Amino acid sequence: MASMLLTSLRSSPLTSVQAAQFAARSLSTSVHLQAQAKSKKTLAKPGVKNIVLVDGVRTPFLLSGTTYADLMPHDLARAALQGLLNRTGLPKDAVDYIVYGTVIQEVKTSNVAREAALGAGFSDKTPAHTVTMACISSNQAMTTAVGLIAAGQCDAVVAGGVEFMSDVPIRHSRKMRKTMLSLNKAKTLGARLSLLGSIRLAHLSPELPAVAEFSTAETMGHSADRLAAAFGVSRLEQDEFALRSHMLAKKAQDSGLLSDVIGFKVPGRDIVSKDNGIRPSTMEQMTKLKPAFIKPHGTVTAANSSFLTDGASAVLIMSEEKALAMGYKPKAYLRDFVYVSQDPKDQLLLGPTYATPKVLEKSGLTLNDIDVFEFHEAFAGQIMANLKAMESDWFAQTYMGRKTKVGAPPMEKFNSWGGSLSLGHPFAATGCRLVTTVAHRLQKEGGQYGLVAACAAGGQGHAMVIEAYPQ
């Protein structure tokens, strides 16, 4: 695939000036969009229950190893749940179910949804379970909530996600684990001494976690580098896109647009109220960084990749009828969604390319109908590769079985408040951030439809259409 793409897909790189213009233009469009009177059809379906996003919050997303370093995952999840309760004034016993996503599980709190819910003061009669689907784990949590409500099982569900990269489980080697388990079962002193005598120095080497595919043994960074090369995405394009993300995030943060962020009092420390990974740089500084994965000729660096992040998010999802009965003014309707999967080796990060046309067709919409796009930014090269794939008739015909391309989102509508490259990416918490941001942007910009899309490990992906709630 790589060689075919290299010869078939090329586009001119953006200039540094254009990167800055993209950032400025993306923010200025909100003023123009507010003045537009939308008259598109609603996606409500006869006989189908309307499901709404009432509100969403998140803890500040922080670089791992910083202020949250001494906490545990359920501490962050609990803070997000408590923040949601405070933001909405929701009675704790009004929630029918809680579902939370996480990727790297803390073994002591494997069902982190339940532990966080109990810690946040929810009723012990409220069921809670945890899901995992790599970077779309909270997307899965939200759509699980949608399914529970659509099936008539629940009226109010809290969904969310948490990731804590400051402290990840590190295991003994398999041989050491087997020896320790056998030692625990040994009944005689001789048996125990024999097992202890079998331990070798190599057995003490730990198994460190890695963001790598089990099926291919390749790290996601390597996959991103190969994908960027396959689509002819230059280092310059990647650095410019990353710079754009940081510039937009900084402007949004300074303008108070990131209203989903709640303050969190870290025990023994000050209140944390802002994401700390937003760091606009210069092209000159970014070009000095060496490749992080494929050396020395790779193009993916620390500056154009999302960073290891600690954080949690939570959203309140309800049937429209229940929300209105309780006096809420919802932010948005959650409409059609799809999940996709493809080859985890060559197409690991192309989820948005496959999911976007499917969810548009399911909704009866076109790309031009979408006012707000929020795509997960795992790597700048991943985003740019998806945009090029979406603009390619050849790729659509060769790999997707489609007659024509779906087209790439216009940049002035795309991730205009920053993205995972700058805001951070706590794996399982990002999905809720994307959906909440779409709802807030639709309100701010006067749009009607938003589209969320994300890739995930295993070659999987997700997309959802969100419709603004009438103002």
Side-chain angles (χ1 to χ4, degrees), residues 45 57 60 75 80 82 86 88 91 104 108 110 123 126 176 208 225 247 257 279 296 302 316 318 348 378 387 437 457:
K45 299 174 183 177
V57 301
D75 293 319
Q82 289 173 330
N86 294 336
T88 61
I104 300 179
K108 291 182 178 179
S110 56
S123 169
T126 303
M176 189 63 183
L208 300 176
D225 228 328
M247 290 171 64
L257 297 177
R279 299 177 179 179
L316 175 57
M318 303 179 77
L348 177 69
L387 296 179
T437 300

mmCIF file of all heavy atoms in Angstrom, residues 45 57 60 75 80 82 86 88 91 104 108 110 123 126 176 208 225 247 257 279 296 302 316 318 348 378 387 437 457:
data_model
loop_
_atom_site.group_PDB
_atom_site.id
_atom_site.type_symbol
_atom_site.label_atom_id
_atom_site.label_comp_id
_atom_site.label_asym_id
_atom_site.label_seq_id
_atom_site.Cartn_x
_atom_site.Cartn_y
_atom_site.Cartn_z
ATOM 1 N N LYS A 45 -36.224 11.477 14.101
ATOM 2 C CA LYS A 45 -36.895 10.428 13.348
ATOM 3 C C LYS A 45 -38.211 10.060 14.021
ATOM 4 O O LYS A 45 -38.242 9.910 15.253
ATOM 5 C CB LYS A 45 -35.992 9.192 13.250
ATOM 6 C CG LYS A 45 -34.678 9.469 12.531
ATOM 7 C CD LYS A 45 -33.749 8.264 12.583
ATOM 8 C CE LYS A 45 -32.401 8.570 11.930
ATOM 9 N NZ LYS A 45 -31.456 7.435 12.037
ATOM 10 N N VAL A 57 -18.188 17.946 31.200
ATOM 11 C CA VAL A 57 -17.070 18.606 31.881
ATOM 12 C C VAL A 57 -15.833 17.718 31.779
ATOM 13 O O VAL A 57 -15.919 16.536 31.428
ATOM 14 C CB VAL A 57 -17.370 18.867 33.376
ATOM 15 C CG1 VAL A 57 -18.602 19.742 33.541
ATOM 16 C CG2 VAL A 57 -17.538 17.556 34.131
ATOM 17 N N PRO A 60 -8.824 19.516 34.102
ATOM 18 C CA PRO A 60 -7.739 19.987 33.229
ATOM 19 C C PRO A 60 -6.910 18.790 32.758
ATOM 20 O O PRO A 60 -6.669 17.855 33.526
ATOM 21 C CB PRO A 60 -6.921 20.905 34.148
ATOM 22 C CG PRO A 60 -7.909 21.392 35.166
ATOM 23 C CD PRO A 60 -8.819 20.219 35.403
ATOM 24 N N ASP A 75 -9.328 8.946 41.270
ATOM 25 C CA ASP A 75 -9.363 10.308 41.815
ATOM 26 C C ASP A 75 -9.782 11.307 40.735
ATOM 27 O O ASP A 75 -10.602 12.201 40.971
ATOM 28 C CB ASP A 75 -7.991 10.701 42.366
ATOM 29 C CG ASP A 75 -7.589 9.903 43.590
ATOM 30 O OD1 ASP A 75 -8.454 9.666 44.448
ATOM 31 O OD2 ASP A 75 -6.404 9.515 43.674
ATOM 32 N N ALA A 80 -14.171 14.453 37.950
ATOM 33 C CA ALA A 80 -14.998 14.779 36.783
ATOM 34 C C ALA A 80 -16.474 14.547 37.086
ATOM 35 O O ALA A 80 -17.338 15.355 36.719
ATOM 36 C CB ALA A 80 -14.561 13.941 35.583
ATOM 37 N N GLN A 82 -17.948 14.578 40.050
ATOM 38 C CA GLN A 82 -18.402 15.600 40.985
ATOM 39 C C GLN A 82 -18.572 16.943 40.281
ATOM 40 O O GLN A 82 -19.525 17.685 40.556
ATOM 41 C CB GLN A 82 -17.408 15.732 42.144
ATOM 42 C CG GLN A 82 -17.424 14.543 43.089
ATOM 43 C CD GLN A 82 -16.319 14.606 44.133
ATOM 44 O OE1 GLN A 82 -15.246 15.166 43.890
ATOM 45 N NE2 GLN A 82 -16.567 14.018 45.294
ATOM 46 N N ASN A 86 -21.942 19.189 40.064
ATOM 47 C CA ASN A 86 -21.971 20.601 40.436
ATOM 48 C C ASN A 86 -22.437 21.481 39.290
ATOM 49 O O ASN A 86 -23.186 22.447 39.489
ATOM 50 C CB ASN A 86 -20.575 21.042 40.898
ATOM 51 C CG ASN A 86 -20.140 20.363 42.183
ATOM 52 O OD1 ASN A 86 -20.963 19.913 42.966
ATOM 53 N ND2 ASN A 86 -18.832 20.288 42.399
ATOM 54 N N THR A 88 -24.382 20.691 36.729
ATOM 55 C CA THR A 88 -25.774 20.462 36.317
ATOM 56 C C THR A 88 -26.777 20.556 37.463
ATOM 57 O O THR A 88 -27.975 20.695 37.218
ATOM 58 C CB THR A 88 -25.914 19.071 35.676
ATOM 59 O OG1 THR A 88 -25.547 18.064 36.637
ATOM 60 C CG2 THR A 88 -25.032 18.943 34.442
ATOM 61 N N PRO A 91 -29.567 15.708 40.816
ATOM 62 C CA PRO A 91 -29.687 14.859 42.010
ATOM 63 C C PRO A 91 -28.985 13.527 41.763
ATOM 64 O O PRO A 91 -29.169 12.902 40.716
ATOM 65 C CB PRO A 91 -31.208 14.665 42.148
ATOM 66 C CG PRO A 91 -31.819 15.784 41.379
ATOM 67 C CD PRO A 91 -30.880 16.060 40.251
ATOM 68 N N ILE A 104 -5.533 1.959 30.038
ATOM 69 C CA ILE A 104 -4.549 1.281 30.875
ATOM 70 C C ILE A 104 -5.122 1.211 32.287
ATOM 71 O O ILE A 104 -5.162 2.205 33.010
ATOM 72 C CB ILE A 104 -3.203 2.019 30.850
ATOM 73 C CG1 ILE A 104 -2.671 2.065 29.405
ATOM 74 C CG2 ILE A 104 -2.196 1.332 31.762
ATOM 75 C CD1 ILE A 104 -1.359 2.777 29.251
ATOM 76 N N LYS A 108 -6.056 -2.226 40.950
ATOM 77 C CA LYS A 108 -6.798 -2.115 42.206
ATOM 78 C C LYS A 108 -8.209 -1.580 42.000
ATOM 79 O O LYS A 108 -9.084 -1.792 42.841
ATOM 80 C CB LYS A 108 -6.041 -1.205 43.182
ATOM 81 C CG LYS A 108 -4.736 -1.797 43.701
ATOM 82 C CD LYS A 108 -4.070 -0.855 44.700
ATOM 83 C CE LYS A 108 -2.788 -1.462 45.253
ATOM 84 N NZ LYS A 108 -2.115 -0.553 46.214
ATOM 85 N N SER A 110 -10.131 -1.928 38.871
ATOM 86 C CA SER A 110 -10.339 -2.345 37.487
ATOM 87 C C SER A 110 -11.679 -1.862 36.944
ATOM 88 O O SER A 110 -11.782 -1.494 35.775
ATOM 89 C CB SER A 110 -10.235 -3.865 37.357
ATOM 90 O OG SER A 110 -11.137 -4.505 38.225
ATOM 91 N N SER A 123 -25.454 7.015 44.389
ATOM 92 C CA SER A 123 -26.099 5.949 45.146
ATOM 93 C C SER A 123 -25.418 4.614 44.874
ATOM 94 O O SER A 123 -25.033 4.317 43.731
ATOM 95 C CB SER A 123 -27.578 5.855 44.761
ATOM 96 O OG SER A 123 -28.153 4.674 45.289
ATOM 97 N N THR A 126 -26.861 2.536 42.063
ATOM 98 C CA THR A 126 -26.690 2.888 40.655
ATOM 99 C C THR A 126 -25.616 2.010 40.024
ATOM 100 O O THR A 126 -24.444 2.101 40.401
ATOM 101 C CB THR A 126 -26.278 4.370 40.503
ATOM 102 O OG1 THR A 126 -27.250 5.201 41.125
ATOM 103 C CG2 THR A 126 -26.160 4.750 39.026
ATOM 104 N N MET A 176 8.922 -14.970 36.052
ATOM 105 C CA MET A 176 8.923 -14.602 37.458
ATOM 106 C C MET A 176 7.518 -14.739 38.050
ATOM 107 O O MET A 176 7.365 -15.195 39.189
ATOM 108 C CB MET A 176 9.442 -13.171 37.617
ATOM 109 C CG MET A 176 9.694 -12.767 39.061
ATOM 110 S SD MET A 176 10.983 -13.783 39.819
ATOM 111 C CE MET A 176 10.981 -13.141 41.478
ATOM 112 N N LEU A 208 7.491 -3.679 30.665
ATOM 113 C CA LEU A 208 7.026 -2.300 30.630
ATOM 114 C C LEU A 208 5.894 -2.149 29.628
ATOM 115 O O LEU A 208 5.931 -2.735 28.537
ATOM 116 C CB LEU A 208 8.177 -1.366 30.249
ATOM 117 C CG LEU A 208 9.391 -1.369 31.189
ATOM 118 C CD1 LEU A 208 10.492 -0.479 30.630
ATOM 119 C CD2 LEU A 208 8.995 -0.920 32.577
ATOM 120 N N ASP A 225 4.371 7.300 11.475
ATOM 121 C CA ASP A 225 5.467 7.703 10.598
ATOM 122 C C ASP A 225 5.333 7.045 9.227
ATOM 123 O O ASP A 225 5.522 7.679 8.180
ATOM 124 C CB ASP A 225 6.814 7.328 11.236
ATOM 125 C CG ASP A 225 7.809 8.475 11.207
ATOM 126 O OD1 ASP A 225 7.749 9.274 10.258
ATOM 127 O OD2 ASP A 225 8.624 8.586 12.129
ATOM 128 N N MET A 247 -1.640 27.094 18.646
ATOM 129 C CA MET A 247 -2.055 28.494 18.539
ATOM 130 C C MET A 247 -3.549 28.643 18.786
ATOM 131 O O MET A 247 -3.993 29.541 19.514
ATOM 132 C CB MET A 247 -1.687 29.044 17.161
ATOM 133 C CG MET A 247 -0.198 29.223 16.930
ATOM 134 S SD MET A 247 0.190 29.637 15.214
ATOM 135 C CE MET A 247 -0.625 31.217 15.049
ATOM 136 N N LEU A 257 -13.049 30.027 26.074
ATOM 137 C CA LEU A 257 -13.924 29.141 25.297
ATOM 138 C C LEU A 257 -13.914 27.702 25.806
ATOM 139 O O LEU A 257 -14.848 26.944 25.538
ATOM 140 C CB LEU A 257 -13.503 29.168 23.823
ATOM 141 C CG LEU A 257 -13.636 30.523 23.118
ATOM 142 C CD1 LEU A 257 -13.109 30.436 21.689
ATOM 143 C CD2 LEU A 257 -15.086 31.000 23.121
ATOM 144 N N ARG A 279 1.425 24.813 24.415
ATOM 145 C CA ARG A 279 2.713 25.511 24.372
ATOM 146 C C ARG A 279 3.054 25.925 22.944
ATOM 147 O O ARG A 279 3.819 25.241 22.249
ATOM 148 C CB ARG A 279 3.815 24.621 24.939
ATOM 149 C CG ARG A 279 3.585 24.233 26.405
ATOM 150 C CD ARG A 279 4.646 23.294 26.927
ATOM 151 N NE ARG A 279 4.419 22.957 28.325
ATOM 152 C CZ ARG A 279 5.182 22.126 29.038
ATOM 153 N NH1 ARG A 279 6.220 21.555 28.463
ATOM 154 N NH2 ARG A 279 4.909 21.871 30.308
ATOM 155 N N PRO A 296 17.122 7.749 11.245
ATOM 156 C CA PRO A 296 17.108 9.210 11.397
ATOM 157 C C PRO A 296 16.177 9.921 10.415
ATOM 158 O O PRO A 296 16.156 11.149 10.362
ATOM 159 C CB PRO A 296 18.560 9.580 11.091
ATOM 160 C CG PRO A 296 18.937 8.598 9.998
ATOM 161 C CD PRO A 296 18.198 7.312 10.324
ATOM 162 N N ALA A 302 8.374 14.667 18.813
ATOM 163 C CA ALA A 302 7.636 14.953 20.045
ATOM 164 C C ALA A 302 6.742 16.169 19.873
ATOM 165 O O ALA A 302 5.677 16.261 20.498
ATOM 166 C CB ALA A 302 8.618 15.185 21.194
ATOM 167 N N LEU A 316 -23.418 14.152 30.792
ATOM 168 C CA LEU A 316 -24.761 13.714 31.188
ATOM 169 C C LEU A 316 -25.601 13.562 29.934
ATOM 170 O O LEU A 316 -25.803 14.528 29.193
ATOM 171 C CB LEU A 316 -25.395 14.731 32.136
ATOM 172 C CG LEU A 316 -26.852 14.469 32.538
ATOM 173 C CD1 LEU A 316 -27.017 13.097 33.192
ATOM 174 C CD2 LEU A 316 -27.371 15.583 33.445
ATOM 175 N N MET A 318 -29.279 12.158 28.390
ATOM 176 C CA MET A 318 -30.642 11.867 28.832
ATOM 177 C C MET A 318 -31.577 11.767 27.633
ATOM 178 O O MET A 318 -31.268 12.227 26.537
ATOM 179 C CB MET A 318 -31.155 12.975 29.770
ATOM 180 C CG MET A 318 -30.306 13.219 30.996
ATOM 181 S SD MET A 318 -30.923 14.557 32.057
ATOM 182 C CE MET A 318 -32.272 13.718 32.885
ATOM 183 N N LEU A 348 -3.853 1.603 10.338
ATOM 184 C CA LEU A 348 -4.150 1.682 11.762
ATOM 185 C C LEU A 348 -4.887 2.957 12.149
ATOM 186 O O LEU A 348 -5.802 2.937 12.964
ATOM 187 C CB LEU A 348 -2.837 1.594 12.554
ATOM 188 C CG LEU A 348 -2.953 1.723 14.076
ATOM 189 C CD1 LEU A 348 -3.637 0.499 14.657
ATOM 190 C CD2 LEU A 348 -1.585 1.921 14.710
ATOM 191 N N ALA A 378 -4.170 12.405 17.011
ATOM 192 C CA ALA A 378 -3.170 11.539 17.635
ATOM 193 C C ALA A 378 -1.766 12.010 17.261
ATOM 194 O O ALA A 378 -0.881 12.141 18.105
ATOM 195 C CB ALA A 378 -3.377 10.093 17.209
ATOM 196 N N LEU A 387 -6.796 13.535 5.965
ATOM 197 C CA LEU A 387 -7.323 14.586 5.098
ATOM 198 C C LEU A 387 -6.986 14.310 3.635
ATOM 199 O O LEU A 387 -7.808 14.532 2.730
ATOM 200 C CB LEU A 387 -6.772 15.952 5.520
ATOM 201 C CG LEU A 387 -7.171 16.444 6.920
ATOM 202 C CD1 LEU A 387 -6.545 17.798 7.212
ATOM 203 C CD2 LEU A 387 -8.685 16.506 7.065
ATOM 204 N N THR A 437 -17.060 19.666 22.999
ATOM 205 C CA THR A 437 -16.546 20.803 22.228
ATOM 206 C C THR A 437 -17.422 21.085 21.019
ATOM 207 O O THR A 437 -17.700 22.254 20.700
ATOM 208 C CB THR A 437 -15.097 20.538 21.780
ATOM 209 O OG1 THR A 437 -14.273 20.349 22.934
ATOM 210 C CG2 THR A 437 -14.548 21.712 20.972
ATOM 211 N N ALA A 457 -6.422 2.423 18.400
ATOM 212 C CA ALA A 457 -5.589 1.239 18.241
ATOM 213 C C ALA A 457 -6.425 0.069 17.745
ATOM 214 O O ALA A 457 -7.630 0.011 17.954
ATOM 215 C CB ALA A 457 -4.931 0.893 19.575
#
